């Protein structure tokens, strides 16, 4: 190759690089992406036969509102300041639906989209929010809403009935890649109709008591003007935060480091009766701290404002730090009355030995939950008597838990044939075919910090001749194992929400077994919440009756019977309940005199909701003057008397 | 009488003269031997129980002795709580007695009355307790034993595989060598930590599964060193001489090449042990190691760092870890120096 050819080649190469760079910068590049994923117009709402709201607006509706319940925010609240909190990992998306949208950050994003009606945190009655009035349809399964005329999105656009209709179109669309929502908004929401700009109706699948209907059909708006639907929707909107109707919208984002929620200026709901004096900070700064130990150090050095202390080791042991001893940080112990999460040991009855009821009852009597509560849990928690609790009249209060009782445990195990005791102290049963069964079970769980709890149960269970083998996995892997029904015993807590207990997902046989035509047999059904593989025909019947009933009294009576059946079946060993919230806060984060209300989830919840429905959050505010004082005092080394407040009003 | 090779004697003398390494080796061996009998001084089982004139030795009984044996009621089918038994015998004063070990707590045993308590002579938790009231000292002693056993078994397994394959690669060379070189290169690119995570989620965790995975991925390291050493030795004249005399391949490798590469192997041993201990501890710390309720250093370290306010946990385990790893490294240094061919090889 001579030099001329070499230079020519270099020149050509440089030119082609330049050309490439130019084309990739040109605006045509973008339009290519757009043409690649053309805008899709979502189809109008499809209505199945037998469903559908009336075409003409029904004139005989009785409009309901509620402006008589007490206010629960403090008039002393000061607006302004930055509230600093943290999360363990940066979210994978800022969408609220679609792939990866179910992370912990959804806990911040979802409550800032308001629903038409919410529930009063003390009286538990429906109260107006996006809607000023609502009315029940004559068919018993539809509601009509009147939207607040001032309601606006955080980008200034007015909220209209179209936004609510769009929610159903949007949630039913394939483009959002969210099969669960697709199904829910098709199966459970049957129709939605706009009557004028501020009036619309929603129809559900079943008739239900009024409050339940509001909860089911009170779907929030989706900004019709903001989203461009296309097959690329999840990618296109991954980092584009949608406008909101709540007090905050996503403001500043520094990927991997922090997200700030900013308060919407001239927010439309500022003066509403149940909203005023709430959501006081101007900015919520959510910092990513990838390790809990480190987050705790951030809190001790006042880089985070509050910290949850519900866990006993936090309240009793970790607070033995200088910032607490010197009285800089306040501690609050506040009793509440929320639906109780169902914490317990879930026995998989699909396992040969656990199919025997005697073994299950024996196991319940072999779990020394009382000792666990008095030692590792420091006597802070209460025993959970039954599977579901905290739904007022629905609670079956006549059920008592099976306590640790070796005599009873031994009797039941012996009845199940586990009469011999091996050299290691574990009971053994010799089957008819000569094979042996050991009374040894694997307990699957996903929380490292629960190991001490299980270590205590394991040690005590040995006294009844039972061996527990601890199978710790990371939380996602352990839950996967449970949903695949590959566990023997699951150590698990179901979170609870809503107004009434749920039985279908946990105990109906359709969620336990399914027919496999290939081998012509029933096989265990995976990916359902029936982790005990319970399948009892009589129970199925009652569950369906309970599900389809709209008579409150009948539902309550059915719930009592069902709860008793769950207890008798003994596939769940309920463990403990935590009837309070405990928090620590630097003193510049101030609370109303009454601290919180009976449905407060956490005293320093910056968002609206607790348990998914009660509007109890956002009561605190920031006192900037006090902040300067306290920090200056700390730098001078001054000490104060530690403040520990225990409020048992709602015990 | 058994006579040592003069070169070995020289190496041994040289090793003894390096005081730091020599004393470390002595202490380590003592600790390992002591830890083999940990049940005799750190245990919740009694050494001797004298009940109604008969003696029982629960530690080495080969099975658990239920409480019903010592008159604690027929329902008492599980293992006797010997601390309670001791107390009971003392109160009854009927001539029955129990001798407990120095530290009367087992490594996995919880003591609900003493959760996260600082060291105390009175409660006999000499280094305090952690999480559910488990004894820190017991965890340290049994954790040391587990870590050492793990490191030593891992060493033996990986070395046997590594040396065999490495030697053959060097000795045969050619296609065999080429094949194994590529195989090992591929092997080494498999992300080890992911495999551990997958295995941990599929199989239930245990000492042996973990060991299996570690051996599966650990044998490759030694092959490279052995391959090079064997190549070097193979080219020497004594190998050609042996070959000319009609010695078999097995004989050449076993009696001629291996003894001459022993210094390479021996030098690596202490560092492999340190690596084994560190690997187990790290995996345990990350939560992919031993079963979560088994006492181990990694677990102790994790609980310690999560509970910095209970400083005795993290202090005990960090100090132990540093001291043991330091001693192993000192031994390694001393061995390397003692076996240094620059001082003790004879060339013509």
């Amino acid at each position: 190759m001579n030099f001329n050819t070499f230079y020519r080649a270099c020149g050509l190469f440089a030119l082609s690089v330049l050309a490439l760079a130019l084309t990739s910068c040109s605006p045509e590049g973008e339009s290519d992406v757009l043409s690649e994923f053309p805008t899709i117009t979502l189809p109008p709402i499809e209505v199945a036969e037998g469903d559908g709201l009336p075409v003409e607006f029904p004139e005989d509706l009785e409009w309901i509102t509620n402006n008589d319940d007490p206010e629960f925010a403090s008039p002393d609240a000061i607006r302004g300041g930055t509230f600093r909190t943290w999360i363990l990992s940066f979210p994978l998306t800022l969408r609220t639906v679609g792939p990866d949208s179910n992370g912990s950050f959804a806990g911040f994003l979802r409550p800032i989209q308001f629903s038409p009606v919410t529930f009063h945190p003390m009286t538990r009655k429906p109260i107006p929010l996006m809607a000023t009035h609502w009315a029940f349809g004559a068919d018993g399964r539809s509601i009509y809403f009147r939207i607040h005329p001032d309601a606006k999105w955080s980008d200034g656009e007015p909220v209209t009935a179209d936004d609510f209709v769009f929610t159903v179109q949007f949630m039913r669309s394939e483009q959002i890649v969210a099969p669960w929502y697709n199904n829910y908004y098709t199966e459970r929401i049957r129709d939605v109709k706009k009557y004028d700009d501020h009036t619309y109706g929603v129809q559900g699948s079943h008739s239900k008591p009024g409050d339940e209907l509001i909860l089911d059909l009170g779907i929030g708006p989706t900004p019709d003007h903001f989203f461009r639907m296309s097959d690329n929707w999840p990618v296109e909107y991954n980092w584009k935060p949608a406008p909101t109707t709540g007090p905050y919208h996503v403001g500043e984002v520094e990927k991997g480091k922090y997200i700030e929620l900013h308060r919407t200026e001239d927010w439309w709901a500022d003066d509403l009766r149940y909203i005023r004096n709430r959501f006081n900070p101007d900015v919520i700064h959510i910092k990513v701290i990838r390790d809990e130990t480190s987050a705790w150090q951030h809190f001790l050095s006042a880089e985070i404002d509050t910290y949850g202390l519900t866990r006993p080791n936090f309240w009793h042991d970790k607070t033995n730090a200088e910032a607490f001893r010197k009285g800089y940080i306040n501690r609050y112990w506040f009793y509440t009355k929320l639906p109780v999460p169902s914490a317990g040991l879930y026995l998989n009855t699909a396992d040969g030995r656990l199919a025997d009821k005697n073994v299950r009852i024996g196991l319940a009597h072999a779990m020394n939950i009382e000792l666990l509560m008095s030692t590792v849990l420091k006597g802070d928690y209460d025993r959970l008597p039954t599977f579901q609790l905290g739904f007022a009249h629905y609670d079956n209060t006549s059920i008592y838990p099976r306590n640790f009782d070796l005599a009873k445990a031994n009797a039941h195990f012996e009845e199940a044939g586990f009469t011999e005791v091996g050299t290691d102290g574990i009971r053994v049963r010799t089957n008819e075919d000569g094979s042996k069964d050991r009374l040894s079970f694997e307990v699957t769980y996903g929380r490292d910090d629960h190991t001490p709890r299980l270590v205590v149960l394991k040690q005590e269970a040995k006294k009844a001749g039972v061996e527990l083998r601890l199978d710790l996995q990371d939380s996602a892997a352990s839950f996967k194992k449970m949903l695949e029904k590959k566990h023997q015993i699951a150590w698990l807590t179901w979170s609870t929400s809503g107004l009434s207990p749920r039985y279908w997902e946990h105990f109906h046989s359709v969620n336990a077994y399914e027919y496999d035509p290939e081998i012509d047999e029933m096989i265990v059904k995976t990916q359902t919440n029936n982790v005990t593989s319970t399948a009892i025909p009589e129970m199925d019947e009652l569950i369906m009756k309970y599900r389809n009933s709209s008579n409150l009294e009948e539902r309550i009576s059915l719930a009592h019977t069902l709860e008793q059946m769950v207890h008798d079946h003994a596939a769940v060993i309920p463990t403990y309940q935590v009837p309070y919230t405990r928090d620590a806060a630097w003193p510049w984060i101030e609370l109303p005199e009454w601290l919180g209300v009976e449905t407060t989830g956490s005293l320093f919840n910056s968002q609206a909701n607790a348990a998914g429905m009660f509007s109890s959050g956002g009561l605190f505010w920031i006192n900037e003057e006090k902040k300067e004082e306290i920090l200056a005092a700390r730098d001078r080394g001054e000490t104060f008397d530690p403040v520990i407040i225990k409020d048992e009003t709602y015990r | 009488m058994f006579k040592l090779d003069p070169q070995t004697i020289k190496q041994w003398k040289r090793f003894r003269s390096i005081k730091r390494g020599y004393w470390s080796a002595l202490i380590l061996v003592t600790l390992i031997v002591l830890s083999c009998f940990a049940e005799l001084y750190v245990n919740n089982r009694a050494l001797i129980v004298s009940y109604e004139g008969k003696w029982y030795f629960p530690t080495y009984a080969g099975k658990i002795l239920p409480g019903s044996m010592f008159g604690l009621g027929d329902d008492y089918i599980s293992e006797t709580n010997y601390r309670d038994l001791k107390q009971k015998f003392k109160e009854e004063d009927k001539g029955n007695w129990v001798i407990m070990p120095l530290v009367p707590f087992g490594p996995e045993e919880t003591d609900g009355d003493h959760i996260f308590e600082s060291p105390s002579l009175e409660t006999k938790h000499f280094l305090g307790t952690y999480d559910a009231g488990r004894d820190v000292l017991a965890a340290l002693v049994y954790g040391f034993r587990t870590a050492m056993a793990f490191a030593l078994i891992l060493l033996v397994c990986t070395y046997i595989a590594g040396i065999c394959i490495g030697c053959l690669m060097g000795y045969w060379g050619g296609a065999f060598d080429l094949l194994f070189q590529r195989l090992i290169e591929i092997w080494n690119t498999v992300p080890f930590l992911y495999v551990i995570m997958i295995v941990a989620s599929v199989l239930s965790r245990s000492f042996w599964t973990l060991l299996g995975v570690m051996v599966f991925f650990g044998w490759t390291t030694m092959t490279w060193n052995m391959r090079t050493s064997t190549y070097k030795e193979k080219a020497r004249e004594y190998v050609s001489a042996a070959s000319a005399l009609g010695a078999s391949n097995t004989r050449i490798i076993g009696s001629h090449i291996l003894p001459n590469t022993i210094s390479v192997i021996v030098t690596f041993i202490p560092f492999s042990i340190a690596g084994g201990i560190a690997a187990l501890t790290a995996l345990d710390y990350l939560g992919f190691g031993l079963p979560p309720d088994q006492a181990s250093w990694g677990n102790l370290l994790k609980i310690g760092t999560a509970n910095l306010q209970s400083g005795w946990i993290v202090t005990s385990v960090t100090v132990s870890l540093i001291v043991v790893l330091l001693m192993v490294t000192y031994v390694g240094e001393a061995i390397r120096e003692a076996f240094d061919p620059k001082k003790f090889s004879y060339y013509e």
Side-chain angles (χ1 to χ4, degrees):
Chain A
M1 183 197 280
N2 65 33
F3 276 95
N4 275 340
T5 353
F6 176 74
Y7 283 124
R8 213 175 294 154
C10 282
L12 271 173
F13 177 73
L15 265 176
S16 54
V17 168
L18 197 72
L20 247 172
L22 279 174
T23 47
S24 62
C25 293
S26 74
E28 277 157 47
E30 264 179 43
S31 70
D32 275 354
V33 175
L34 278 179
S35 59
E36 206 179 313
F37 298 102
T39 306
I40 291 170
T41 314
L42 296 180
I45 304 291
E46 258 180 59
V47 183
E49 222 183 292
D51 291 331
L53 289 159
V55 182
E56 288 299 316
F57 186 68
E59 291 302 328
D60 53 348
L61 293 176
E62 189 191 332
W63 288 104
I64 309 169
T65 190
N66 177 3
N67 284 314
D68 309 320
D69 283 355
E71 283 186 54
F72 47 90
S74 170
D76 304 332
I78 308 166
R79 178 66 62 77
T82 299
F83 179 68
R84 297 159 308 158
T85 183
W86 67 287
I87 43 170
L88 264 175
S89 57
F90 194 81
L92 296 169
T93 178
L94 294 176
R95 288 179 273 104
T96 52
V97 288
D100 303 319
S101 61
N102 244 344
S104 60
F105 192 67
F108 286 96
L109 282 180
R110 294 204 175 125
I112 51 178
Q113 291 295 8
F114 275 9
S115 52
V117 178
T118 185
F119 289 84
H120 194 278
M122 291 150 83
T123 64
R124 305 193 184 209
K125 287 185 196 155
I127 50 173
L129 198 59
M130 294 288 299
T132 55
H133 296 79
W134 57 96
F136 295 104
D139 59 358
R141 56 176 173 129
S142 51
I143 315 186
Y144 300 88
F145 295 100
R146 250 191 220 152
I147 310 164
H148 197 290
D150 298 339
K152 267 200 218 99
W153 292 100
S154 54
D155 59 5
E157 293 286 321
V159 178
T160 64
D162 290 318
D163 293 322
F164 291 88
V165 175
F166 182 67
T167 298
V168 180
Q169 290 177 294
F170 175 80
M171 289 298 195
R172 283 180 180 185
S173 72
E174 277 170 28
Q175 284 72 29
I176 61 171
V177 196
W180 191 89
Y181 282 108
N182 289 165
N183 177 54
Y184 186 90
Y185 279 82
T186 316
E187 295 295 319
R188 303 295 285 272
I189 308 285
R190 293 296 173 87
D191 192 14
V192 57
K193 198 166 259 138
K194 171 185 171 182
Y195 292 100
D196 64 47
D197 268 359
H198 289 103
T199 317
Y200 71 99
V202 189
Q203 187 184 45
S205 55
H206 295 100
S207 57
K208 279 186 173 184
D211 287 1
E212 303 253 356
L213 215 52
I214 291 177
L215 195 64
D216 271 14
L217 306 183
I219 52 174
T222 305
D224 190 6
H225 65 277
F226 177 75
F227 288 125
R228 184 189 81 89
M229 301 310 293
S230 74
D231 287 336
N232 196 33
W233 186 85
V235 178
E236 201 177 324
Y237 287 91
N238 204 50
W239 299 112
K240 269 189 212 164
T244 64
T245 49
Y248 297 100
H249 59 269
V250 177
E252 221 176 293
V253 177
E254 170 94 40
K255 274 194 195 159
K257 290 189 176 152
Y258 67 84
I259 296 181
E260 275 185 0
L261 300 182
H262 290 177
R263 206 166 190 291
T264 303
E265 263 178 66
D266 297 324
W267 183 44
W268 66 274
D270 252 338
D271 298 318
L272 293 189
R273 178 176 169 85
Y274 303 112
I275 297 293
R276 56 186 167 221
N277 299 317
R278 289 171 69 190
F279 315 112
N280 298 301
D282 277 342
V283 177
I284 312 242
H285 183 92
I286 305 152
K287 187 174 172 142
V288 177
I289 305 175
R290 291 178 194 278
D291 166 63
E292 172 131 37
T293 310
S294 166
W296 179 248
Q297 297 304 328
H298 274 78
F299 173 59
L300 293 181
S301 56
E303 286 166 57
I304 293 174
D305 291 318
T306 64
Y307 208 96
L309 294 183
T310 301
R311 283 168 288 172
N313 62 326
F314 272 81
W315 180 265
H316 294 278
D317 301 320
K318 290 206 140 198
T319 50
N320 187 17
E322 198 184 285
F324 284 95
R325 284 198 301 269
K326 288 192 170 172
Y328 300 138
I329 304 178
N330 297 347
R331 272 166 275 185
Y332 304 89
W333 182 336
F334 188 78
Y335 279 83
T336 57
K337 279 186 174 158
L338 279 165
V340 179
S342 307
L345 292 136
Y346 293 80
L347 318 181
N348 187 355
T349 57
D351 178 281
R353 293 158 301 168
L354 291 170
D356 188 336
K357 194 165 161 181
N358 273 311
V359 173
R360 299 199 298 266
I361 298 181
L363 274 175
H365 286 298
M367 296 296 126
N368 199 345
I369 290 152
E370 297 88 68
L371 182 78
L372 164 66
M373 294 198 302
S374 67
T375 56
V376 175
L377 304 175
K378 315 265 183 189
D380 292 353
Y381 291 5
D382 290 344
R383 180 74 206 256
L384 181 63
T386 180
F387 173 60
Q388 292 193 93
L389 201 68
F391 298 98
H393 298 301
Y394 284 98
D395 293 350
N396 184 339
T397 47
S398 65
I399 299 173
Y400 292 94
R402 296 189 175 91
N403 287 333
F404 182 67
D405 188 330
L406 288 177
K408 281 186 188 166
N410 288 336
H412 281 286
F413 288 143
E414 272 167 28
E415 201 158 313
F418 287 92
T419 44
E420 303 156 55
V421 178
T423 52
D424 52 358
I426 304 305
R427 284 180 178 275
V428 182
R429 168 172 76 185
T430 313
N431 297 325
E432 278 173 14
D433 59 359
S435 63
K436 299 220 176 212
D437 277 337
R438 275 179 90 229
L439 211 47
S440 167
F441 300 98
E442 196 175 69
V443 183
T444 301
Y445 66 111
R447 284 192 59 174
D448 193 25
D449 55 335
H450 284 192
T451 301
R453 303 179 187 188
L454 284 161
V455 166
V456 171
L457 291 186
K458 176 181 175 160
Q459 185 171 300
E460 292 292 304
K462 273 189 199 158
K463 292 184 179 167
V466 178
E467 182 186 54
L468 299 181
R469 285 168 287 131
L470 307 194
D471 172 33
L472 169 66
Q473 314 237 342
D474 75 71
S475 56
S478 78
F479 195 55
K480 190 165 173 275
K481 189 168 179 178
M482 292 168 196
L483 291 187
E484 283 171 2
K485 319 289 167 75
K486 285 186 179 149
H487 63 290
Q488 296 180 330
I489 301 180
W491 171 267
L492 170 70
T493 303
W494 293 108
S495 61
T496 39
S497 62
L499 292 159
S500 55
R502 291 176 184 188
Y503 297 98
W504 185 79
E505 46 265 77
H506 296 295
F507 299 107
H508 197 285
S509 64
V510 298
N511 292 318
Y513 297 97
E514 64 186 339
Y515 177 71
D516 185 347
E518 265 180 40
I519 52 169
D520 191 27
E521 256 178 52
M522 296 298 277
I523 53 162
V524 168
K525 190 170 178 183
T526 58
Q527 306 304 331
T528 71
N529 288 356
N530 190 344
V531 290
T532 56
S533 304
T534 299
I536 309 171
E538 302 93 78
M539 205 167 169
D540 286 353
E541 208 177 297
L542 290 183
I543 289 173
M544 289 323 287
K545 220 168 151 189
Y546 171 75
R547 246 191 143 195
N548 296 329
S549 166
S550 62
N551 180 330
L552 189 65
E553 267 169 42
E554 187 191 33
R555 273 173 67 86
I556 287 175
S557 139
L558 281 168
H560 287 187
T561 317
L562 282 167
E563 195 67 41
Q564 184 66 45
M565 284 176 109
V566 171
H567 176 80
D568 294 340
H569 186 53
V572 184
I573 306 172
T575 49
Y576 43 70
Q577 49 173 325
V578 191
Y580 54 76
T581 171
R582 283 194 299 213
D583 297 277
W586 285 83
W588 55 81
I589 307 294
E590 296 185 332
L591 284 169
E593 232 175 283
W594 48 90
L595 305 181
V597 288
E598 62 174 65
T599 54
T600 291
S602 154
L603 290 174
F604 301 100
N605 177 10
S606 59
Q607 302 303 318
N609 291 344
M613 54 183 289
F614 299 112
S615 181
S616 60
L619 299 188
F620 67 89
W621 64 89
I622 300 166
N623 186 336
E624 294 283 355
E625 278 172 33
K626 204 165 182 181
K627 184 170 180 175
E628 274 170 36
E629 276 170 39
I630 299 277
L631 288 179
R634 182 187 68 168
D635 294 341
R636 287 193 301 271
E638 267 176 57
T639 58
F640 304 94
D641 286 332
V643 176
I644 303 175
I645 298 171
K646 188 173 180 178
D647 187 310
E648 297 181 273
T649 318
Y650 301 109
R651 192 166 189 176
Chain B
M1 215 187 102
F2 179 66
K3 258 184 99 177
L4 280 171
D5 186 318
Q7 188 178 333
T8 314
I9 296 172
K10 273 190 181 159
Q11 284 168 340
W12 172 244
K13 278 190 181 153
R14 172 93 181 116
F15 179 71
R16 276 192 67 168
S17 72
I18 305 164
K19 288 284 176 269
R20 198 163 74 175
Y22 176 65
W23 282 106
S24 298
L26 273 189
I27 296 171
L28 268 179
V29 170
T30 318
L31 284 180
I32 292 171
V33 172
L34 273 180
S35 76
C36 291
F37 304 99
E39 279 83 1
L40 294 177
Y41 52 91
V42 184
N43 202 351
N44 52 345
R45 288 183 179 154
L47 293 174
I48 310 169
V49 179
S50 164
Y51 178 64
E52 293 179 345
K54 228 177 135 192
W55 283 22
Y56 300 87
F57 301 92
T59 310
Y60 293 106
K63 58 174 184 176
I64 62 139
L65 304 181
S68 50
M69 262 178 123
F70 303 112
L72 294 174
D74 288 340
D75 271 358
Y76 205 136
I77 57 157
S78 62
E79 176 148 40
T80 315
N81 183 329
Y82 294 99
R83 291 191 304 273
D84 292 352
L85 189 70
K86 185 177 182 177
Q87 191 66 29
K88 187 177 170 252
F89 283 175
K90 215 172 175 181
E91 281 162 15
E92 285 176 351
D93 198 22
K94 284 185 193 159
N96 299 325
W97 47 263
V98 175
I99 298 180
M100 289 300 287
L102 186 67
V103 180
F105 299 100
E108 273 105 51
E109 197 196 8
T110 61
D111 181 357
D113 301 332
H114 306 287
I115 292 176
F116 281 119
E117 276 197 358
S118 51
S120 145
L121 286 179
E122 200 186 326
T123 60
K124 300 214 170 171
H125 290 295
F126 300 115
L127 286 180
T129 62
Y130 67 108
D131 65 14
R134 292 189 275 178
D135 189 73
V136 174
L137 182 56
L140 277 184
V141 172
Y142 285 88
F144 173 74
R145 187 162 81 175
T146 315
M148 270 298 170
F150 185 85
L152 289 173
I153 300 174
L154 181 67
L155 176 98
V156 171
C157 297
T158 51
Y159 273 42
I160 289 176
I163 290 170
C164 287
I165 294 170
C167 260
L168 291 179
M169 282 164 75
Y171 187 74
W172 284 338
F176 182 83
D177 185 23
L178 208 67
L179 181 80
F180 264 87
Q181 276 185 53
R182 299 295 88 77
L183 186 81
I184 291 168
E185 276 161 13
I186 295 167
W187 209 264
N188 281 343
T189 54
V190 176
F192 163 74
L193 205 57
Y194 284 121
V195 175
I196 287 273
M197 283 160 79
I198 293 164
V199 168
S201 69
V202 177
L203 298 174
S204 59
R205 292 195 224 164
S206 78
F207 183 85
W208 297 108
T209 18
L210 192 62
L211 195 73
V213 177
M214 294 284 287
V215 171
F216 200 66
F217 286 98
W219 62 272
T220 53
T221 331
M222 207 53 204
T223 51
W224 294 126
N225 300 306
M226 283 312 294
R227 177 178 168 272
T228 344
S229 308
T230 315
Y231 254 123
K232 202 172 84 184
E233 294 303 323
K234 191 190 164 194
R236 291 207 194 287
E237 280 154 6
Y238 70 89
V239 175
S240 314
S243 176
L245 284 171
S248 68
N249 283 347
T250 331
R251 186 175 171 81
I252 295 175
I253 295 178
S255 322
H256 298 292
I257 296 184
L258 263 187
N260 282 299
T261 54
I262 202 86
S263 64
V264 177
I265 300 168
V266 171
T267 322
F268 275 110
I269 285 177
F271 301 103
S272 295
I273 292 181
I277 296 175
L280 179 70
T281 311
L283 284 176
D284 251 344
Y285 180 83
L286 293 174
F288 301 115
L290 298 168
D293 52 332
Q294 188 172 343
S296 76
W297 284 13
N299 191 14
L300 208 56
L301 195 62
K302 180 161 68 179
I303 296 170
T305 45
N307 293 283
L308 287 172
Q309 80 287 347
S310 309
W312 57 90
I313 305 171
V314 76
T315 320
S316 309
V317 62
T318 338
V319 169
S320 313
L321 200 58
I322 292 173
V323 168
V324 167
L325 290 182
L326 212 59
M327 285 199 297
V328 174
T329 316
Y330 286 158
V331 176
E333 266 179 15
I335 289 179
R336 196 176 55 200
E337 222 164 307
F339 277 75
D340 193 341
K342 278 186 191 137
K343 279 202 176 79
F344 293 103
S345 285
Y346 299 92
Y347 295 102
E348 288 161 34

